[in-house]
Structure formats: C-alpha cells, structure tokens
Amino acid sequence: RKSSHKGVITILKDKFGESSIFKETIPTSSVFEEVELLKAASVFSHAARSKGAMAFRSVASEIISIFDSLEK
C-alpha cells in the first residue's frame, strides 16, 4: 500500500476510532487498471483469483457481518 494511503487510514482511525473503520483494505493493483482498459465487466470476471478481487470479497464479507450483527 502506498504511504499516502497509510496516512489517510491513520487519520480516519484517529478521527472516528479504530472500531469504526473497516479492518480489511483494498490494495492498489494493476489488475484494476487492466479491467478498466479492457472494459472487462469486473475484476471478478477478469481476474477472479487476484489479490484485488480477494480483497473486495473480504470487504464485502466484513460488510455482511456488520449487517448480520445488527439484525441480532
């Protein structure tokens, strides 16, 4: 992850508290650029096993877990 991204994450954690920030992050990846250049439908159809696609799945799982905990 770029150092500027780390700085933004630190600022967000300081401002909102660590528990208000997603634990998972989505790294920068050349795969995202490829998807855009190739006009592929998504990173999942172009490179389903890439680190970027796996990171999106992890964030989605975290979001689902948050909503699941709210329903209980």
Side-chain angles (χ1 to χ4, degrees):
R1 181 177 314 126
K2 295 180 180 179
S3 61
S4 61
H5 296 165
K6 291 177 185 178
V8 170
I9 291 170
T10 300
I11 291 167
L12 290 171
K13 286 180 179 179
D14 289 345
K15 183 165 179 82
F16 298 106
E18 193 154 341
S19 63
S20 297
I21 305 298
F22 290 117
K23 291 171 187 61
E24 298 293 334
T25 59
I26 299 172
T28 56
S29 172
S30 60
V31 172
F32 299 135
E33 293 175 25
E34 290 173 15
V35 168
E36 188 175 337
L37 288 172
L38 297 172
K39 308 255 189 263
S42 72
V43 69
F44 303 109
S45 63
H46 176 67
R49 296 181 189 268
S50 68
K51 288 181 182 180
M54 290 188 290
F56 267 106
R57 283 189 195 92
S58 293
V59 170
S61 293
E62 189 172 343
I63 292 168
I64 291 168
S65 293
I66 291 168
F67 280 100
D68 283 348
S69 68
L70 294 175
E71 291 179 353
K72 294 178 182 177

Short mmCIF file of all heavy atoms in Angstrom, two decimals:
data_model
loop_
_atom_site.label_atom_id
_atom_site.label_comp_id
_atom_site.label_asym_id
_atom_site.label_seq_id
_atom_site.Cartn_x
_atom_site.Cartn_y
_atom_site.Cartn_z
N ARG A 1 0.85 -1.17 0.00
CA ARG A 1 0.00 0.00 0.00
C ARG A 1 0.89 1.23 0.00
O ARG A 1 1.92 1.26 0.66
CB ARG A 1 -0.91 -0.04 1.23
CG ARG A 1 -1.84 1.10 1.32
CD ARG A 1 -2.80 1.00 2.51
NE ARG A 1 -3.38 -0.30 2.64
CZ ARG A 1 -3.32 -1.02 3.75
NH1 ARG A 1 -2.72 -0.58 4.82
NH2 ARG A 1 -3.89 -2.19 3.81
N LYS A 2 0.45 2.25 -0.70
CA LYS A 2 1.23 3.48 -0.77
C LYS A 2 1.24 4.19 0.57
O LYS A 2 0.28 4.12 1.34
CB LYS A 2 0.66 4.38 -1.85
CG LYS A 2 0.79 3.78 -3.24
CD LYS A 2 0.21 4.70 -4.29
CE LYS A 2 0.36 4.06 -5.65
NZ LYS A 2 -0.19 4.87 -6.71
N SER A 3 2.33 4.90 0.84
CA SER A 3 2.45 5.58 2.13
C SER A 3 1.36 6.62 2.33
O SER A 3 0.90 6.84 3.45
CB SER A 3 3.83 6.20 2.28
OG SER A 3 4.05 7.15 1.27
N SER A 4 0.90 7.25 1.26
CA SER A 4 -0.18 8.24 1.39
C SER A 4 -1.47 7.55 1.86
O SER A 4 -2.24 8.13 2.63
CB SER A 4 -0.42 8.98 0.08
OG SER A 4 -0.80 8.09 -0.95
N HIS A 5 -1.69 6.33 1.41
CA HIS A 5 -2.88 5.58 1.84
C HIS A 5 -2.80 5.26 3.32
O HIS A 5 -3.80 5.36 4.04
CB HIS A 5 -3.01 4.28 1.05
CG HIS A 5 -3.23 4.48 -0.41
ND1 HIS A 5 -3.08 3.47 -1.32
CD2 HIS A 5 -3.58 5.56 -1.13
CE1 HIS A 5 -3.32 3.92 -2.53
NE2 HIS A 5 -3.62 5.19 -2.44
N LYS A 6 -1.62 4.88 3.77
CA LYS A 6 -1.43 4.59 5.20
C LYS A 6 -1.72 5.82 6.05
O LYS A 6 -2.34 5.73 7.11
CB LYS A 6 -0.01 4.09 5.46
CG LYS A 6 0.27 2.73 4.88
CD LYS A 6 1.71 2.33 5.11
CE LYS A 6 2.01 1.01 4.43
NZ LYS A 6 3.40 0.61 4.58
N GLY A 7 -1.32 6.98 5.55
CA GLY A 7 -1.58 8.23 6.27
C GLY A 7 -3.06 8.52 6.37
O GLY A 7 -3.55 8.94 7.43
N VAL A 8 -3.79 8.29 5.30
CA VAL A 8 -5.24 8.51 5.31
C VAL A 8 -5.92 7.56 6.29
O VAL A 8 -6.80 7.96 7.06
CB VAL A 8 -5.84 8.35 3.89
CG1 VAL A 8 -7.36 8.34 3.92
CG2 VAL A 8 -5.33 9.45 2.97
N ILE A 9 -5.50 6.31 6.29
CA ILE A 9 -6.08 5.33 7.22
C ILE A 9 -5.82 5.75 8.66
O ILE A 9 -6.71 5.69 9.51
CB ILE A 9 -5.54 3.92 6.92
CG1 ILE A 9 -6.08 3.43 5.58
CG2 ILE A 9 -5.92 2.95 8.05
CD1 ILE A 9 -5.44 2.17 5.07
N THR A 10 -4.61 6.22 8.94
CA THR A 10 -4.27 6.69 10.28
C THR A 10 -5.15 7.87 10.68
O THR A 10 -5.68 7.91 11.80
CB THR A 10 -2.79 7.09 10.36
OG1 THR A 10 -2.00 5.94 10.05
CG2 THR A 10 -2.42 7.61 11.74
N ILE A 11 -5.34 8.82 9.79
CA ILE A 11 -6.19 9.98 10.07
C ILE A 11 -7.63 9.54 10.36
O ILE A 11 -8.26 10.02 11.30
CB ILE A 11 -6.15 10.99 8.90
CG1 ILE A 11 -4.77 11.65 8.83
CG2 ILE A 11 -7.25 12.04 9.03
CD1 ILE A 11 -4.51 12.43 7.56
N LEU A 12 -8.14 8.63 9.55
CA LEU A 12 -9.52 8.14 9.75
C LEU A 12 -9.67 7.43 11.10
O LEU A 12 -10.66 7.63 11.81
CB LEU A 12 -9.93 7.21 8.61
CG LEU A 12 -10.14 7.88 7.26
CD1 LEU A 12 -10.32 6.83 6.17
CD2 LEU A 12 -11.32 8.83 7.30
N LYS A 13 -8.68 6.61 11.44
CA LYS A 13 -8.73 5.91 12.73
C LYS A 13 -8.67 6.89 13.89
O LYS A 13 -9.38 6.72 14.89
CB LYS A 13 -7.59 4.89 12.83
CG LYS A 13 -7.82 3.66 11.97
CD LYS A 13 -6.67 2.69 12.09
CE LYS A 13 -6.92 1.46 11.25
NZ LYS A 13 -5.82 0.49 11.32
N ASP A 14 -7.84 7.91 13.77
CA ASP A 14 -7.75 8.93 14.82
C ASP A 14 -9.05 9.70 14.96
O ASP A 14 -9.49 10.01 16.05
CB ASP A 14 -6.60 9.91 14.53
CG ASP A 14 -5.22 9.29 14.70
OD1 ASP A 14 -5.13 8.19 15.30
OD2 ASP A 14 -4.25 9.90 14.22
N LYS A 15 -9.68 10.02 13.85
CA LYS A 15 -10.90 10.84 13.86
C LYS A 15 -12.13 10.05 14.30
O LYS A 15 -12.94 10.54 15.07
CB LYS A 15 -11.14 11.45 12.49
CG LYS A 15 -12.35 12.37 12.43
CD LYS A 15 -12.35 13.21 11.19
CE LYS A 15 -13.56 14.10 11.12
NZ LYS A 15 -13.45 15.32 11.88
N PHE A 16 -12.28 8.82 13.79
CA PHE A 16 -13.50 8.07 14.02
C PHE A 16 -13.34 6.88 14.97
O PHE A 16 -14.32 6.27 15.36
CB PHE A 16 -14.06 7.56 12.69
CG PHE A 16 -14.43 8.66 11.75
CD1 PHE A 16 -13.65 8.94 10.64
CD2 PHE A 16 -15.55 9.44 11.97
CE1 PHE A 16 -13.98 9.97 9.76
CE2 PHE A 16 -15.90 10.47 11.11
CZ PHE A 16 -15.11 10.73 10.01
N GLY A 17 -12.12 6.53 15.30
CA GLY A 17 -11.88 5.37 16.15
C GLY A 17 -11.69 4.12 15.31
O GLY A 17 -12.31 3.96 14.27
N GLU A 18 -10.82 3.28 15.78
CA GLU A 18 -10.46 2.08 15.01
C GLU A 18 -11.66 1.16 14.77
O GLU A 18 -11.76 0.52 13.73
CB GLU A 18 -9.33 1.32 15.71
CG GLU A 18 -8.72 0.28 14.83
CD GLU A 18 -7.30 -0.05 15.20
OE1 GLU A 18 -6.64 0.73 15.89
OE2 GLU A 18 -6.86 -1.12 14.78
N SER A 19 -12.58 1.11 15.72
CA SER A 19 -13.73 0.21 15.56
C SER A 19 -14.71 0.69 14.49
O SER A 19 -15.57 -0.07 14.06
CB SER A 19 -14.46 0.04 16.90
OG SER A 19 -14.99 1.29 17.32
N SER A 20 -14.58 1.95 14.04
CA SER A 20 -15.47 2.50 13.02
C SER A 20 -14.89 2.37 11.61
O SER A 20 -15.53 2.77 10.65
CB SER A 20 -15.76 3.97 13.30
OG SER A 20 -16.43 4.11 14.53
N ILE A 21 -13.71 1.84 11.50
CA ILE A 21 -13.03 1.72 10.22
C ILE A 21 -12.97 0.23 9.85
O ILE A 21 -12.73 -0.62 10.70
CB ILE A 21 -11.59 2.29 10.30
CG1 ILE A 21 -11.60 3.72 10.81
CG2 ILE A 21 -10.86 2.18 8.97
CD1 ILE A 21 -12.32 4.71 9.95
N PHE A 22 -13.19 -0.07 8.57
CA PHE A 22 -13.10 -1.46 8.14
C PHE A 22 -11.73 -2.04 8.46
O PHE A 22 -10.71 -1.36 8.32
CB PHE A 22 -13.35 -1.60 6.64
CG PHE A 22 -14.76 -1.35 6.23
CD1 PHE A 22 -15.09 -0.30 5.40
CD2 PHE A 22 -15.79 -2.17 6.68
CE1 PHE A 22 -16.38 -0.06 5.01
CE2 PHE A 22 -17.09 -1.95 6.30
CZ PHE A 22 -17.39 -0.89 5.47
N LYS A 23 -11.71 -3.28 8.88
CA LYS A 23 -10.44 -3.96 9.16
C LYS A 23 -9.74 -4.32 7.85
O LYS A 23 -8.53 -4.25 7.75
CB LYS A 23 -10.69 -5.21 10.00
CG LYS A 23 -11.13 -4.90 11.42
CD LYS A 23 -11.58 -6.15 12.14
CE LYS A 23 -12.16 -5.84 13.49
NZ LYS A 23 -13.34 -4.99 13.47
N GLU A 24 -10.53 -4.72 6.87
CA GLU A 24 -9.98 -5.10 5.56
C GLU A 24 -9.76 -3.85 4.72
O GLU A 24 -10.49 -2.87 4.85
CB GLU A 24 -10.94 -6.03 4.83
CG GLU A 24 -11.19 -7.34 5.53
CD GLU A 24 -9.97 -8.23 5.58
OE1 GLU A 24 -9.09 -8.11 4.70
OE2 GLU A 24 -9.89 -9.06 6.49
N THR A 25 -8.75 -3.89 3.87
CA THR A 25 -8.50 -2.81 2.93
C THR A 25 -8.35 -3.39 1.53
O THR A 25 -8.08 -4.59 1.38
CB THR A 25 -7.22 -2.03 3.29
OG1 THR A 25 -6.12 -2.93 3.28
CG2 THR A 25 -7.33 -1.36 4.65
N ILE A 26 -8.52 -2.55 0.54
CA ILE A 26 -8.36 -2.98 -0.84
C ILE A 26 -7.08 -2.32 -1.37
O ILE A 26 -7.00 -1.10 -1.45
CB ILE A 26 -9.57 -2.58 -1.69
CG1 ILE A 26 -10.82 -3.27 -1.14
CG2 ILE A 26 -9.34 -2.95 -3.15
CD1 ILE A 26 -12.11 -2.82 -1.75
N PRO A 27 -6.08 -3.13 -1.68
CA PRO A 27 -4.81 -2.58 -2.13
C PRO A 27 -4.91 -2.05 -3.56
O PRO A 27 -5.81 -2.43 -4.32
CB PRO A 27 -3.87 -3.79 -2.07
CG PRO A 27 -4.77 -4.95 -2.32
CD PRO A 27 -6.08 -4.59 -1.66
N THR A 28 -3.98 -1.17 -3.91
CA THR A 28 -3.90 -0.77 -5.31
C THR A 28 -3.39 -1.98 -6.09
O THR A 28 -2.66 -2.81 -5.56
CB THR A 28 -2.94 0.42 -5.50
OG1 THR A 28 -1.68 0.07 -4.96
CG2 THR A 28 -3.47 1.66 -4.82
N SER A 29 -3.82 -2.08 -7.34
CA SER A 29 -3.45 -3.25 -8.12
C SER A 29 -3.50 -2.93 -9.61
O SER A 29 -4.41 -2.24 -10.07
CB SER A 29 -4.40 -4.41 -7.81
OG SER A 29 -4.17 -5.49 -8.67
N SER A 30 -2.54 -3.44 -10.33
CA SER A 30 -2.55 -3.25 -11.79
C SER A 30 -3.74 -3.98 -12.42
O SER A 30 -4.18 -3.61 -13.51
CB SER A 30 -1.24 -3.75 -12.39
OG SER A 30 -1.06 -5.12 -12.12
N VAL A 31 -4.28 -4.96 -11.73
CA VAL A 31 -5.43 -5.70 -12.26
C VAL A 31 -6.62 -4.76 -12.43
O VAL A 31 -7.37 -4.86 -13.40
CB VAL A 31 -5.80 -6.88 -11.33
CG1 VAL A 31 -7.10 -7.53 -11.74
CG2 VAL A 31 -4.69 -7.90 -11.33
N PHE A 32 -6.79 -3.79 -11.52
CA PHE A 32 -7.89 -2.84 -11.64
C PHE A 32 -7.73 -2.00 -12.90
O PHE A 32 -8.71 -1.70 -13.59
CB PHE A 32 -7.98 -1.94 -10.41
CG PHE A 32 -8.24 -2.70 -9.13
CD1 PHE A 32 -7.52 -2.40 -7.98
CD2 PHE A 32 -9.20 -3.69 -9.06
CE1 PHE A 32 -7.75 -3.08 -6.80
CE2 PHE A 32 -9.44 -4.39 -7.89
CZ PHE A 32 -8.71 -4.08 -6.76
N GLU A 33 -6.50 -1.61 -13.20
CA GLU A 33 -6.24 -0.85 -14.42
C GLU A 33 -6.52 -1.70 -15.65
O GLU A 33 -7.09 -1.21 -16.63
CB GLU A 33 -4.80 -0.36 -14.44
CG GLU A 33 -4.50 0.68 -13.37
CD GLU A 33 -3.04 1.06 -13.32
OE1 GLU A 33 -2.33 0.93 -14.35
OE2 GLU A 33 -2.59 1.50 -12.25
N GLU A 34 -6.13 -2.97 -15.61
CA GLU A 34 -6.40 -3.87 -16.74
C GLU A 34 -7.90 -3.98 -17.00
O GLU A 34 -8.34 -3.94 -18.15
CB GLU A 34 -5.84 -5.26 -16.45
CG GLU A 34 -4.35 -5.35 -16.46
CD GLU A 34 -3.87 -6.71 -15.99
OE1 GLU A 34 -4.67 -7.67 -15.93
OE2 GLU A 34 -2.67 -6.83 -15.66
N VAL A 35 -8.67 -4.13 -15.94
CA VAL A 35 -10.12 -4.26 -16.07
C VAL A 35 -10.69 -3.02 -16.76
O VAL A 35 -11.52 -3.12 -17.66
CB VAL A 35 -10.79 -4.47 -14.69
CG1 VAL A 35 -12.29 -4.32 -14.76
CG2 VAL A 35 -10.42 -5.84 -14.13
N GLU A 36 -10.20 -1.86 -16.34
CA GLU A 36 -10.68 -0.61 -16.93
C GLU A 36 -10.26 -0.49 -18.40
O GLU A 36 -11.08 -0.15 -19.26
CB GLU A 36 -10.14 0.57 -16.13
CG GLU A 36 -10.73 1.89 -16.54
CD GLU A 36 -10.28 3.03 -15.65
OE1 GLU A 36 -9.89 2.78 -14.49
OE2 GLU A 36 -10.31 4.16 -16.12
N LEU A 37 -9.00 -0.79 -18.69
CA LEU A 37 -8.52 -0.68 -20.06
C LEU A 37 -9.18 -1.67 -21.01
O LEU A 37 -9.47 -1.35 -22.16
CB LEU A 37 -7.00 -0.87 -20.10
CG LEU A 37 -6.17 0.27 -19.52
CD1 LEU A 37 -4.71 -0.14 -19.43
CD2 LEU A 37 -6.32 1.53 -20.36
N LEU A 38 -9.41 -2.87 -20.52
CA LEU A 38 -10.00 -3.92 -21.35
C LEU A 38 -11.52 -3.84 -21.38
O LEU A 38 -12.17 -4.60 -22.08
CB LEU A 38 -9.58 -5.30 -20.83
CG LEU A 38 -8.09 -5.60 -20.90
CD1 LEU A 38 -7.78 -6.91 -20.20
CD2 LEU A 38 -7.63 -5.64 -22.35
N LYS A 39 -12.07 -2.92 -20.60
CA LYS A 39 -13.53 -2.78 -20.49
C LYS A 39 -14.17 -4.10 -20.06
O LYS A 39 -15.24 -4.47 -20.51
CB LYS A 39 -14.14 -2.29 -21.81
CG LYS A 39 -13.50 -1.05 -22.37
CD LYS A 39 -14.35 0.15 -22.17
CE LYS A 39 -13.82 1.34 -22.92
NZ LYS A 39 -13.03 2.24 -22.16
N ALA A 40 -13.45 -4.81 -19.21
CA ALA A 40 -13.97 -6.07 -18.66
C ALA A 40 -15.13 -5.74 -17.73
O ALA A 40 -15.23 -4.65 -17.18
CB ALA A 40 -12.88 -6.81 -17.91
N ALA A 41 -16.01 -6.69 -17.55
CA ALA A 41 -17.20 -6.46 -16.71
C ALA A 41 -16.81 -6.14 -15.28
O ALA A 41 -17.37 -5.24 -14.67
CB ALA A 41 -18.11 -7.69 -16.76
N SER A 42 -15.86 -6.86 -14.74
CA SER A 42 -15.44 -6.63 -13.36
C SER A 42 -14.11 -7.34 -13.12
O SER A 42 -13.68 -8.17 -13.91
CB SER A 42 -16.48 -7.16 -12.38
OG SER A 42 -16.46 -8.57 -12.37
N VAL A 43 -13.52 -7.01 -11.99
CA VAL A 43 -12.29 -7.68 -11.60
C VAL A 43 -12.57 -9.16 -11.36
O VAL A 43 -11.70 -10.01 -11.56
CB VAL A 43 -11.64 -7.01 -10.38
CG1 VAL A 43 -12.46 -7.21 -9.13
CG2 VAL A 43 -10.22 -7.50 -10.17
N PHE A 44 -13.79 -9.50 -10.99
CA PHE A 44 -14.14 -10.89 -10.71
C PHE A 44 -14.19 -11.72 -11.99
O PHE A 44 -13.83 -12.89 -11.99
CB PHE A 44 -15.47 -10.97 -9.97
CG PHE A 44 -15.46 -10.19 -8.68
CD1 PHE A 44 -16.18 -9.02 -8.56
CD2 PHE A 44 -14.71 -10.61 -7.60
CE1 PHE A 44 -16.15 -8.28 -7.40
CE2 PHE A 44 -14.67 -9.88 -6.42
CZ PHE A 44 -15.39 -8.71 -6.32
N SER A 45 -14.64 -11.12 -13.08
CA SER A 45 -14.68 -11.88 -14.34
C SER A 45 -13.32 -11.88 -15.03
O SER A 45 -13.01 -12.82 -15.76
CB SER A 45 -15.74 -11.30 -15.28
OG SER A 45 -15.43 -9.97 -15.63
N HIS A 46 -12.52 -10.85 -14.80
CA HIS A 46 -11.22 -10.76 -15.45
C HIS A 46 -10.12 -11.51 -14.70
O HIS A 46 -9.30 -12.19 -15.32
CB HIS A 46 -10.83 -9.28 -15.60
CG HIS A 46 -9.47 -9.07 -16.19
ND1 HIS A 46 -9.17 -9.40 -17.49
CD2 HIS A 46 -8.32 -8.59 -15.63
CE1 HIS A 46 -7.89 -9.12 -17.72
NE2 HIS A 46 -7.36 -8.63 -16.62
N ALA A 47 -10.10 -11.36 -13.39
CA ALA A 47 -9.03 -11.96 -12.59
C ALA A 47 -9.59 -12.35 -11.22
O ALA A 47 -9.25 -11.74 -10.20
CB ALA A 47 -7.87 -11.00 -12.45
N ALA A 48 -10.43 -13.33 -11.21
CA ALA A 48 -11.17 -13.71 -10.00
C ALA A 48 -10.27 -14.11 -8.83
O ALA A 48 -10.66 -13.94 -7.68
CB ALA A 48 -12.12 -14.86 -10.32
N ARG A 49 -9.08 -14.61 -9.11
CA ARG A 49 -8.19 -15.06 -8.03
C ARG A 49 -7.11 -14.02 -7.68
O ARG A 49 -6.21 -14.31 -6.90
CB ARG A 49 -7.54 -16.38 -8.41
CG ARG A 49 -8.55 -17.51 -8.57
CD ARG A 49 -7.83 -18.81 -8.92
NE ARG A 49 -8.76 -19.85 -9.28
CZ ARG A 49 -9.27 -20.71 -8.43
NH1 ARG A 49 -8.94 -20.65 -7.16
NH2 ARG A 49 -10.11 -21.63 -8.83
N SER A 50 -7.23 -12.83 -8.23
CA SER A 50 -6.23 -11.79 -7.95
C SER A 50 -6.38 -11.27 -6.53
O SER A 50 -7.41 -11.43 -5.89
CB SER A 50 -6.39 -10.63 -8.93
OG SER A 50 -7.61 -9.95 -8.69
N LYS A 51 -5.31 -10.65 -6.04
CA LYS A 51 -5.35 -10.08 -4.69
C LYS A 51 -6.44 -9.01 -4.59
O LYS A 51 -7.10 -8.90 -3.57
CB LYS A 51 -4.00 -9.48 -4.32
CG LYS A 51 -2.93 -10.51 -4.06
CD LYS A 51 -1.62 -9.86 -3.67
CE LYS A 51 -0.55 -10.92 -3.47
NZ LYS A 51 0.74 -10.32 -3.10
N GLY A 52 -6.63 -8.25 -5.65
CA GLY A 52 -7.67 -7.22 -5.65
C GLY A 52 -9.06 -7.80 -5.52
O GLY A 52 -9.88 -7.32 -4.73
N ALA A 53 -9.35 -8.84 -6.27
CA ALA A 53 -10.67 -9.49 -6.20
C ALA A 53 -10.88 -10.11 -4.82
O ALA A 53 -11.96 -10.00 -4.23
CB ALA A 53 -10.80 -10.55 -7.29
N MET A 54 -9.84 -10.74 -4.28
CA MET A 54 -9.96 -11.34 -2.95
C MET A 54 -10.17 -10.26 -1.89
O MET A 54 -10.93 -10.46 -0.94
CB MET A 54 -8.72 -12.19 -2.64
CG MET A 54 -8.67 -13.46 -3.48
SD MET A 54 -7.38 -14.62 -2.99
CE MET A 54 -5.91 -13.74 -3.52
N ALA A 55 -9.53 -9.11 -2.07
CA ALA A 55 -9.71 -8.01 -1.11
C ALA A 55 -11.14 -7.49 -1.15
O ALA A 55 -11.74 -7.23 -0.10
CB ALA A 55 -8.72 -6.89 -1.42
N PHE A 56 -11.71 -7.35 -2.36
CA PHE A 56 -13.11 -6.92 -2.47
C PHE A 56 -14.03 -7.92 -1.79
O PHE A 56 -14.99 -7.54 -1.11
CB PHE A 56 -13.51 -6.74 -3.93
CG PHE A 56 -13.33 -5.35 -4.44
CD1 PHE A 56 -12.29 -5.05 -5.30
CD2 PHE A 56 -14.18 -4.33 -4.06
CE1 PHE A 56 -12.11 -3.77 -5.78
CE2 PHE A 56 -14.02 -3.04 -4.52
CZ PHE A 56 -12.97 -2.75 -5.39
N ARG A 57 -13.75 -9.21 -1.96
CA ARG A 57 -14.58 -10.22 -1.29
C ARG A 57 -14.47 -10.10 0.23
O ARG A 57 -15.46 -10.24 0.94
CB ARG A 57 -14.15 -11.62 -1.72
CG ARG A 57 -14.64 -12.01 -3.09
CD ARG A 57 -14.35 -13.50 -3.36
NE ARG A 57 -14.50 -13.77 -4.77
CZ ARG A 57 -13.51 -13.72 -5.67
NH1 ARG A 57 -12.29 -13.42 -5.30
NH2 ARG A 57 -13.75 -13.97 -6.93
N SER A 58 -13.27 -9.84 0.72
CA SER A 58 -13.07 -9.70 2.16
C SER A 58 -13.84 -8.50 2.72
O SER A 58 -14.47 -8.59 3.78
CB SER A 58 -11.59 -9.54 2.49
OG SER A 58 -10.89 -10.72 2.21
N VAL A 59 -13.80 -7.38 2.00
CA VAL A 59 -14.54 -6.20 2.44
C VAL A 59 -16.05 -6.49 2.40
O VAL A 59 -16.78 -6.13 3.33
CB VAL A 59 -14.18 -4.96 1.60
CG1 VAL A 59 -15.12 -3.80 1.89
CG2 VAL A 59 -12.74 -4.55 1.85
N ALA A 60 -16.50 -7.15 1.35
CA ALA A 60 -17.92 -7.50 1.25
C ALA A 60 -18.34 -8.40 2.41
O ALA A 60 -19.41 -8.21 3.01
CB ALA A 60 -18.21 -8.18 -0.09
N SER A 61 -17.50 -9.36 2.75
CA SER A 61 -17.80 -10.25 3.89
C SER A 61 -17.87 -9.46 5.19
O SER A 61 -18.73 -9.72 6.04
CB SER A 61 -16.73 -11.34 4.01
OG SER A 61 -16.79 -12.21 2.92
N GLU A 62 -16.97 -8.49 5.34
CA GLU A 62 -16.99 -7.67 6.54
C GLU A 62 -18.28 -6.85 6.62
O GLU A 62 -18.90 -6.75 7.68
CB GLU A 62 -15.77 -6.75 6.55
CG GLU A 62 -15.59 -6.02 7.86
CD GLU A 62 -14.28 -5.24 7.94
OE1 GLU A 62 -13.36 -5.49 7.13
OE2 GLU A 62 -14.20 -4.38 8.82
N ILE A 63 -18.71 -6.30 5.49
CA ILE A 63 -19.96 -5.53 5.46
C ILE A 63 -21.15 -6.43 5.80
O ILE A 63 -22.01 -6.05 6.59
CB ILE A 63 -20.15 -4.87 4.08
CG1 ILE A 63 -19.08 -3.78 3.89
CG2 ILE A 63 -21.56 -4.29 3.94
CD1 ILE A 63 -18.98 -3.25 2.48
N ILE A 64 -21.19 -7.61 5.23
CA ILE A 64 -22.27 -8.55 5.52
C ILE A 64 -22.28 -8.91 7.00
O ILE A 64 -23.34 -8.96 7.63
CB ILE A 64 -22.14 -9.81 4.63
CG1 ILE A 64 -22.45 -9.43 3.17
CG2 ILE A 64 -23.06 -10.93 5.12
CD1 ILE A 64 -22.08 -10.50 2.16
N SER A 65 -21.11 -9.12 7.57
CA SER A 65 -21.03 -9.44 9.01
C SER A 65 -21.58 -8.31 9.87
O SER A 65 -22.26 -8.55 10.87
CB SER A 65 -19.58 -9.71 9.42
OG SER A 65 -19.10 -10.87 8.81
N ILE A 66 -21.29 -7.07 9.47
CA ILE A 66 -21.81 -5.92 10.22
C ILE A 66 -23.32 -5.91 10.17
O ILE A 66 -24.00 -5.75 11.20
CB ILE A 66 -21.23 -4.61 9.66
CG1 ILE A 66 -19.74 -4.52 9.98
CG2 ILE A 66 -21.99 -3.40 10.20
CD1 ILE A 66 -19.00 -3.42 9.23
N PHE A 67 -23.91 -6.11 8.99
CA PHE A 67 -25.37 -6.11 8.88
C PHE A 67 -25.99 -7.31 9.60
O PHE A 67 -27.05 -7.18 10.22
CB PHE A 67 -25.80 -6.07 7.41
CG PHE A 67 -25.75 -4.69 6.83
CD1 PHE A 67 -24.68 -4.29 6.06
CD2 PHE A 67 -26.76 -3.78 7.08
CE1 PHE A 67 -24.62 -3.02 5.53
CE2 PHE A 67 -26.72 -2.50 6.56
CZ PHE A 67 -25.64 -2.11 5.79
N ASP A 68 -25.31 -8.45 9.55
CA ASP A 68 -25.81 -9.62 10.27
C ASP A 68 -25.85 -9.35 11.77
O ASP A 68 -26.79 -9.74 12.46
CB ASP A 68 -24.94 -10.85 9.99
CG ASP A 68 -25.21 -11.46 8.63
OD1 ASP A 68 -26.22 -11.10 7.98
OD2 ASP A 68 -24.38 -12.30 8.20
N SER A 69 -24.83 -8.68 12.30
CA SER A 69 -24.78 -8.40 13.73
C SER A 69 -25.86 -7.38 14.12
O SER A 69 -26.34 -7.40 15.25
CB SER A 69 -23.40 -7.92 14.15
OG SER A 69 -23.13 -6.64 13.61
N LEU A 70 -26.24 -6.51 13.23
CA LEU A 70 -27.29 -5.52 13.51
C LEU A 70 -28.67 -6.17 13.60
O LEU A 70 -29.54 -5.68 14.30
CB LEU A 70 -27.31 -4.42 12.43
CG LEU A 70 -26.10 -3.52 12.36
CD1 LEU A 70 -26.21 -2.58 11.17
CD2 LEU A 70 -25.92 -2.73 13.65
N GLU A 71 -28.85 -7.26 12.87
CA GLU A 71 -30.13 -7.95 12.85
C GLU A 71 -30.38 -8.76 14.12
O GLU A 71 -31.50 -9.13 14.40
CB GLU A 71 -30.22 -8.86 11.63
CG GLU A 71 -30.32 -8.08 10.32
CD GLU A 71 -30.38 -8.98 9.12
OE1 GLU A 71 -30.22 -10.21 9.27
OE2 GLU A 71 -30.58 -8.45 8.02
N LYS A 72 -29.34 -9.05 14.86
CA LYS A 72 -29.48 -9.89 16.06
C LYS A 72 -29.90 -9.11 17.27
O LYS A 72 -29.86 -7.99 17.45
CB LYS A 72 -28.16 -10.61 16.35
CG LYS A 72 -27.84 -11.60 15.25
CD LYS A 72 -26.52 -12.28 15.52
CE LYS A 72 -26.22 -13.23 14.36
NZ LYS A 72 -24.99 -13.88 14.47
#
